[in-house]
Amino acid sequence: MKPNHTKFFNFFIIFNIILWLSACSYLPGKPPFEKDKLPVEADEPAKDKTEQDQPKISLVEILSAEADKFFLRGSYKDALFVYDQALAQATEDETPQLISRIESVLVKTPAITIAELLDTKNIHIPKPLLMYWTGLNFALENNAVKSKEILETFLFQYPDHPYYNDAADLVAVIKKTFFHKDTIGCLLPLTGKYAVFGQRALAGIQLAIQELSKKYSREFKLIIKDTRANPDIAIEGVRDLHQKNVAGIIGPLLTVNPAGREAEKLGIPMIALTQKSEFPLQGEYLFSNFITPDMQVRTLGAYLFQELGIKKVAILYPNEKYGKKYMELFWDVVDEYGGEVVGIELYDGKKTDFTKPIQKLTGQFFPVPDFLKPEAVEFENNPLSEEDDNPKEKIQIDFQALFIPDSPSNINLILPQLSFNDATGMYLVGTNLWHHESLLKDAKGYNKQVIITDGFFDNSQNLKTTQFVKKFKAVFNTKPKFLEAISYDTASILFLTAMDETVDSRETLKDTLQGKRMFEGVTGNTIFDANGVAHRELFLMTIKKGKFVEISR
């Protein structure tokens, strides 16, 4: 029966009862007796008989009886609507018993039906009572997520309600049911064309679990789901991990947004291995832990402007998405540190001749009169310089560092051409793409005063990093790279946070991750902000004697 139909039916019942009661007052009576013919002693008995013939009728009882009929037929919603009308007519003394009868119906009513009644206007059944039974019945129907959500609202809004303690106990049980702090889920592409990346990430996670199990003398569990880089499979993986009550999820590497939406819906903390900055902003339970463009330019900026005291820089970038993004981010950092971008040129990354953009930066493409040429910048105590075996006169340039966000294939062509055009003497600044063996060989002799940033450096002097590399090599017989290292750190962060004594649910796990706690890892010290975005100062490297060398700070 639809709500409108039900309301009409309730009104119809009440209207007919009122008519019936009114009709009783107009029933035909006996002819009046003359007072002088009526025996005095018969007057009082006659009056008592009239009152007995017309008993008092309770509207609340009549409505309750009708509600009971609906209840016995299993029409719980209709029963509640009729009881609601009875409650509107009830006296203070009648209300407690009526509430008790209403609860006997609520215990049988589907949670979604009570929720609909809760949203209906002009309902006389107390709202906290409806809210409590909605949450309780959702739990009985195995919809623990919805039950927890409603009962927590009930606890917040009605702290003095008689059912407060019962609701609090149920919420605590639900949280424990949801949360196995020694178990996490993992979403990785372990088959298909991206399997190699999934397997590398898994190796880092497995090593972390092995180390933590030794540390805590307990078994930590990992439930692995192969996403095959398929968004639908990733979503199903999230649902399955939810049913297995994992504390949180590591991954995925790819198709992060669909899986993230499902994790947010189910209230599962998820730390995706993605550099997509918008991912963690899509929900409270979503985090990202990877190397990002913002991390790189900020690490470079802090070293260039704070430690080296550089004032002027130039940017040479490829005319493509990657180059444009890094150019804009780096320029922003220059402005933040009060530096100055004195030259900026783009080039076609598909070509091999970069003479023209280089000459534009150095002022050679458009000859500049001597009196307009800037004074040469002198570098004293250069921490990255090596002995120059072939000193020669160099052109004067007005920037101390040149930022080139590009891949090794182009960098290996650009660096020699910079030297050929006498654009030397400045720092050559690059992204993590520069951290490639080919730069040591193909650009040999032209890679001096290089400053590179990356999320991991296996030859770092950092004690945690050194120990990790040693253990990884012992287990897997190969050196770890960034993906293995960041996966190791992510698993460690998730388990260490879950082991905190204050963490007893996915919600408190999420809150603790966002609590500005510093995590010391093999990829550096990581902190998550309130949006779930990781912040970390990356490694810095230069090249000396044909090897990448960490820049100590």
Side-chain angles (χ1 to χ4, degrees):
M1 186 178 292
K2 296 181 179 178
N4 290 339
H5 189 190
T6 304
K7 290 180 180 179
F8 175 80
F9 180 79
N10 297 336
F11 175 80
F12 180 80
I13 291 175
I14 297 170
F15 179 76
N16 279 278
I17 291 172
I18 294 172
L19 286 178
W20 183 76
L21 290 172
S22 301
C24 289
S25 63
Y26 292 102
L27 290 173
K30 294 181 179 180
F33 290 97
E34 293 180 14
K35 188 174 182 180
D36 58 352
K37 293 183 179 180
L38 183 65
V40 175
E41 63 271 16
D43 183 57
E44 289 301 321
K47 182 178 180 182
D48 292 341
K49 190 174 186 304
T50 303
E51 290 177 352
Q52 291 174 2
D53 290 342
Q54 190 167 336
K56 293 181 180 178
I57 298 175
S58 170
L59 178 58
V60 170
E61 284 300 316
I62 294 172
L63 289 171
S64 297
E66 290 298 321
D68 289 341
K69 293 178 182 178
F70 282 117
F71 175 69
L72 292 173
R73 292 203 299 264
S75 301
Y76 305 125
K77 187 174 184 179
D78 295 325
L80 289 171
F81 270 117
V82 177
Y83 268 130
D84 184 73
Q85 296 300 321
L87 193 61
Q89 306 295 325
T91 64
E92 186 175 345
D93 293 336
E94 292 173 316
T95 297
Q97 184 178 3
L98 198 54
I99 290 292
S100 178
R101 296 173 75 170
I102 288 172
E103 289 197 81
S104 67
V105 180
L106 288 172
V107 73
K108 295 283 188 179
T109 307
I112 190 66
T113 301
I114 308 175
E116 291 173 0
L117 193 66
L118 189 61
D119 293 333
T120 304
K121 293 181 180 180
N122 302 320
I123 289 294
H124 301 93
I125 300 174
K127 183 176 180 180
L129 190 68
L130 292 173
M131 186 177 292
Y132 171 78
W133 281 102
T134 303
L136 180 59
N137 287 6
F138 268 128
L140 295 173
E141 295 166 8
N142 294 320
N143 191 342
V145 175
K146 199 67 178 176
S147 173
K148 175 174 170 289
E149 175 187 331
I150 292 172
L151 288 176
E152 285 182 333
T153 303
F154 169 83
L155 293 173
F156 177 77
Q157 293 183 356
Y158 307 105
D160 299 324
H161 196 275
Y163 286 156
Y164 180 89
N165 290 336
D166 292 339
D169 291 343
L170 180 55
V171 169
V173 170
I174 291 173
K175 286 181 177 180
K176 290 180 180 178
T177 302
F178 274 175
F179 189 72
H180 291 171
K181 63 167 53 190
D182 58 0
T183 306
I184 62 174
C186 179
L187 295 172
L188 294 172
L190 300 176
T191 56
K193 64 179 181 179
Y194 299 106
V196 62
F197 301 107
Q199 295 292 347
R200 285 175 52 193
L202 182 59
I205 295 170
Q206 289 174 328
L207 182 60
I209 292 175
Q210 178 181 317
E211 294 297 316
L212 289 168
S213 295
K214 291 180 181 178
K215 178 179 179 179
Y216 286 94
S217 299
R218 63 184 293 172
E219 182 183 358
F220 287 94
K221 301 173 185 176
L222 179 69
I223 301 177
I224 305 168
K225 295 294 176 182
D226 178 11
T227 65
R228 290 179 252 172
N230 183 305
D232 294 329
I233 295 176
I235 291 171
E236 286 302 318
V238 173
R239 292 171 181 165
D240 192 48
L241 292 173
H242 168 65
Q243 292 297 323
K244 289 180 170 55
N245 302 318
V246 299
I249 296 174
I250 299 175
L253 276 170
L254 305 164
T255 64
V256 295
N257 289 334
R261 284 191 290 269
E262 191 65 22
E264 178 67 21
K265 176 183 174 183
L266 297 173
I268 311 175
M270 171 183 280
I271 307 180
L273 303 174
T274 178
Q275 65 175 351
K276 291 184 177 181
S277 57
E278 72 280 2
F279 172 77
L281 304 179
Q282 297 174 7
E284 292 183 0
Y285 286 83
L286 306 184
F287 299 79
S288 64
N289 192 27
F290 216 67
I291 183 173
T292 67
D294 187 69
M295 283 182 190
Q296 295 195 54
V297 296
R298 290 194 173 279
T299 300
L300 290 170
Y303 183 69
L304 291 172
F305 300 105
Q306 287 187 324
E307 306 226 5
L308 297 183
I310 282 176
K311 301 296 182 182
K312 297 181 179 182
V313 299
I315 304 174
L316 182 64
Y317 69 98
N319 187 18
E320 57 190 28
K321 185 177 180 179
Y322 181 89
K324 290 177 181 178
K325 183 177 184 64
Y326 274 89
M327 176 272 292
E328 293 171 354
L329 289 173
F330 186 74
W331 200 337
D332 289 340
V333 168
V334 174
D335 289 341
E336 287 180 22
Y337 282 100
E340 183 181 358
V341 177
V342 297
I344 180 166
E345 292 294 335
L346 59 78
Y347 57 83
D348 186 346
K350 296 179 181 179
K351 295 183 178 180
T352 58
D353 186 357
F354 306 99
T355 301
K356 189 177 292 186
I358 290 173
Q359 289 183 346
K360 285 182 179 180
L361 279 178
T362 59
Q364 297 180 82
F365 187 74
F366 300 104
V368 179
D370 291 340
F371 69 90
L372 290 179
K373 289 181 179 179
E375 295 182 0
V377 177
E378 297 294 335
F379 297 91
E380 296 181 2
N381 300 321
N382 188 334
L384 304 184
S385 64
E386 293 183 347
E387 292 296 327
D388 193 341
D389 298 331
N390 300 301
K392 65 177 181 177
E393 185 178 352
K394 300 173 183 178
I395 64 169
Q396 296 178 345
I397 56 176
D398 62 344
F399 50 87
Q400 300 153 287
L402 176 61
F403 179 55
I404 316 175
D406 205 349
S407 62
S409 58
N410 279 340
I411 297 301
N412 290 332
L413 296 174
I414 292 173
L415 297 191
Q417 292 184 42
L418 285 170
S419 180
F420 180 80
N421 286 280
D422 292 332
T424 57
M426 68 282 186
Y427 293 104
L428 300 171
V429 184
T431 66
N432 66 314
L433 295 183
W434 286 37
H435 190 193
H436 194 274
E437 288 296 317
S438 66
L439 191 66
L440 303 176
K441 301 175 181 178
D442 299 343
K444 185 178 181 180
Y446 303 103
N447 52 21
K448 298 175 183 179
Q449 296 192 181
V450 162
I451 300 175
I452 306 169
T453 185
D454 204 348
F456 180 70
F457 183 45
D458 57 13
N459 286 321
S460 171
Q461 298 306 305
N462 179 285
L463 181 59
K464 281 186 171 292
T465 306
T466 302
Q467 292 175 341
F468 165 70
V469 172
K470 183 178 179 180
K471 293 172 183 175
F472 193 94
K473 286 177 67 177
V475 174
F476 298 101
N477 198 31
T478 185
K479 272 191 173 185
K481 296 182 180 179
F482 171 73
L483 186 53
E484 292 88 336
I486 197 67
S487 301
Y488 175 93
D489 272 355
T490 303
S492 300
I493 288 171
L494 202 50
F495 271 126
L496 289 172
T497 307
M499 293 306 296
D500 191 301
E501 291 182 357
T502 63
V503 174
D504 60 358
S505 66
R506 289 172 176 172
E507 182 180 13
T508 53
L509 174 61
K510 175 260 297 182
D511 292 340
T512 305
L513 285 170
Q514 294 175 344
K516 295 186 177 180
R517 177 180 297 188
M518 183 69 74
F519 301 98
E520 296 181 9
V522 301
T523 60
N525 297 334
T526 301
I527 187 171
F528 292 99
D529 63 23
N531 294 318
V533 178
H535 297 269
R536 179 172 52 252
E537 193 172 72
L538 305 181
F539 293 85
L540 284 170
M541 291 157 281
T542 188
I543 297 174
K544 288 186 178 181
K545 297 180 179 180
K547 295 181 180 180
F548 289 109
V549 179
E550 186 175 17
I551 298 175
S552 58
R553 289 173 285 174

